[in-house]
Every structure is written in C-alpha cells, then in structure tokens.
Amino acid sequence: MTDPTTDSAGNTEDAAAARASLETLRTEIAKAVVGQDPAVTGLVVALLCRGHVLLEGVPGVAKTLLVRALASALELDTKRVQFTPDLMPSDVTGSLVYDTRTAEFSFQPGPVFTNLLLADEINRTPPKTQSSLLEAMEERQVTVDGTPRPLPEPFLVAATQNPVEYEGTYPLPEAQLDRFLLKLTIPLPSREDEIDVLTRHASGFDPRDLRAAGLRPVAGPADLEAARAAVARTTVSAEITAYVVDICRATRQSPSLTLGVSPRGATALLAAARAWAWLTGRDYVTPDDVKALALPALRHRVQLRPEAEMEGVTADSVINSVLAQVPVPR
C-alpha cells in the first residue's frame, strides 16, 4: 500500500518541476516572438484548463508564429488550417476514402488530429465548416460515419480572427464563441519591441526555422499532466466561488448588454483563475486572480446593445465597470 505522505511529497515535487518548466516557456518563446508575454500566459492557462483560445489581432502581429513557437517549446504536434469560404468540414475533420486494393473505406484523419490546431481566420469560413470544430472542441472527438474517433491529448484549438476587416466574413455564433475558454487580444508592439523585431530580421532571423533561432523544447506532455493535477488540488474558497458568480450575474443586469455571461462563462473564469493562481506559486485562489483573468475569460461571452456600441462602449469597459462595482471578498 502506498504511503500517503510519500505520495503527497512526490506530487509536490512533480508539481514544482512542472511549474519551473512552464515558467521557462516565456524565455524560450521570446527567442522567436517579441513582447507577447500575456498571450503566452493565456495559452498556457488554456492548456492547463483543457480549454481553447481565440486570438484577435490585425495581420502581422505574430499570431501564427506564437502558436508554432509554443508547440515547439512544449514538444507538441501542431497543424495549421487556413479557413476560406470554400473549406469543407471534411477538410478539417477527415473523411472516408475508398481503397481499391481492399475494396473498403478507410478513414483519413484531418488536421484536427493534432495537439495544437491553429485555425487561421476562422471567421472567413461559413457556419457549416465552423461548426465542424464544435464537437472536437467540446467532446474532444470527431464522429465520421457514425464512428467517434478520439483526438490526441493534449488538444487545443487556437483560432485567429482579424478585428478590422469584416467583408467576406462569417461572425462566429454565440454558441461557438462560448466554447473558447479565453479570448486574447494581440496588440501592435511598442516602438522598442518593433525595433527589436526588425533588428532580429536584419540579423537573419527566419520565422519559418525556429530551431535556427535557438528555440528548444523546455517542457512536454508529462509536465502538462503534472501541472493539471496540481491545478486540480488548488483550493477555491466558498467566498471566491460566490465572487465569480456575482461578477457573472452582474453582467446579465448591465444596461449596456443584451447578453450577459452564462454559467459556462462563470465556470471558465473560475478554472482560469485557478490555473493562474497555481502558475504564480500559490495553492489557493484570491480575488486578484479572478480579476486578472476576467477580461480574457468573459469579453467574448457578452453582447453589446447597438446603442451602447455606437456610444463607444466596449465589452472590456463593461466588464471593468462590473469588477469595480461587485464587492470584493476579504
């Protein structure tokens, strides 16, 4: 019989080693991507929560490079799908192909069978193809011809969309937006960061060759598994749970919104805060952890009234207002 004391000590050591490995991700990814620490942290939080991420930013801010660098630093398989108006669901999930040698149909897996799927410009494909990802994101499987096929573990969808160009796009329905754990905005770099980017390119940096940039694996699936187990042991008090619920309920009463945060959104916020608390070295969640993850976890789950949007109100400003009004537990 296993000694509980020894088992607990082993878990603690594994968790500490996993945290140390994940903390080095920022340094490693910075060899390829300049100044996007919040996005790196958000992607790691999503991996720890078994969630998915929507990346929003104008073209050319290294969204694709960020996902590729993360996959390389974590030694995970990654595939990229460019979403276009003529993309079919089978182009994502895979299809049955007739084999003339055996006179039978065999399944050819699509790009969704990977660890990190980069769904580039997801809002450029029609809803039928967008919905092909729903089962994969929620159930972590793909059903083809009535047969469910499990996806690899870990599995994360990082979808990108352009916030300024809407011609020829198909906005994601609320049901699919709600499946993303976090929505991360990728800003334009500061002047200093942009100078750093150009200096690297002038020195021969090739974004297609991450190995040449010195980027190496610093963590792996075993570290993620140990980290997830440690996150699951992170304490959440009744006061913190009530605080999360109060924040989400307050969005439903906001006069600027037609749609507030659903119970799934409350669950996502609590899970993300829990992962962030563990990443910062604590085994319990504080109100500050909840506040730190409120914007990325909730901004895509609310819907503004047209009149509020015309007045310049944003989802972020509404959530910040709610955070300022809801009493913080002590």
Side-chain angles (χ1 to χ4, degrees), residues 10 17 19 60 70 111 141 177 183 192 222 236 267 307 327:
R19 184 188 288 119
L70 177 69
Q141 66 177 25
L177 280 172
K183 179 182 178 181
E192 291 73 19
V236 180
T267 303
E307 56 269 28

Side-chain angles (χ1 to χ4, degrees), residues 67-292:
V67 175
R68 288 181 53 239
L70 177 69
S72 182
L74 284 173
E75 208 167 12
L76 298 176
D77 182 46
T78 183
K79 290 187 174 67
R80 175 179 178 269
V81 179
Q82 181 66 49
F83 279 68
T84 57
D86 60 348
L87 194 75
M88 299 296 291
S90 59
D91 295 330
V92 178
T93 60
S95 58
L96 294 174
V97 177
Y98 184 72
D99 190 337
T100 55
R101 293 172 299 178
T102 61
E104 293 179 350
F105 285 95
S106 61
F107 178 67
Q108 295 297 317
V112 75
F113 286 87
T114 187
N115 297 126
L116 266 68
L117 176 68
L118 177 62
D120 223 350
E121 295 188 293
I122 191 173
N123 58 336
R124 289 204 170 277
T125 200
K128 182 178 181 180
T129 305
Q130 290 176 4
S131 65
S132 67
L133 277 178
L134 276 177
E135 182 188 15
M137 291 170 67
E138 190 69 19
E139 306 296 334
R140 298 181 182 273
Q141 66 177 25
V142 168
T143 302
V144 177
D145 197 33
T147 303
R149 303 173 192 276
L151 294 171
E153 183 62 38
F155 174 69
L156 177 142
V157 173
T160 71
Q161 64 179 16
N162 183 345
V164 296
E165 189 178 358
Y166 293 104
E167 187 175 349
T169 63
Y170 304 83
L172 292 175
E174 296 302 326
Q176 186 157 357
L177 280 172
D178 211 30
R179 278 352 188 252
F180 287 98
L181 179 79
L182 304 175
K183 179 182 178 181
L184 305 174
T185 55
I186 311 296
L188 288 166
S190 65
R191 182 175 182 272
E192 291 73 19
D193 285 343
E194 197 163 358
I195 289 173
D196 192 359
V197 171
L198 267 63
T199 301
R200 292 186 184 196
H201 279 265
S203 301
F205 172 70
D206 183 358
R208 290 170 291 274
D209 189 357
L210 296 178
R211 292 292 182 188
L215 203 148
R216 298 288 184 269
V218 293
D223 295 304
L224 280 176
E225 199 56 43
R228 286 171 172 176
V231 169
R233 295 192 297 269
T234 301
T235 304
V236 180
S237 68
E239 291 79 11
I240 292 295
T241 303
Y243 182 51
V244 171
V245 169
D246 290 343
I247 290 171
C248 295
R249 290 180 68 85
T251 64
R252 301 169 203 162
Q253 299 164 5
S254 171
S256 299
L257 301 178
T258 58
L259 179 70
V261 177
S262 69
R264 182 190 284 129
T267 303
L269 175 55
L270 185 60
R274 206 176 187 185
W276 172 245
W278 178 81
L279 275 174
T280 52
R282 278 177 283 101
D283 60 357
Y284 58 92
V285 181
T286 69
D288 285 341
D289 298 323
V290 175
K291 289 181 179 180

Side-chain angles (χ1 to χ4, degrees), residues 47-66:
L47 279 168
L48 294 180
C49 299
R50 292 182 169 87
H52 308 284
V53 174
L54 183 62
L55 300 170
E56 188 172 87
V58 298
V61 290
K63 298 186 295 293
T64 301
L65 180 60
L66 176 62

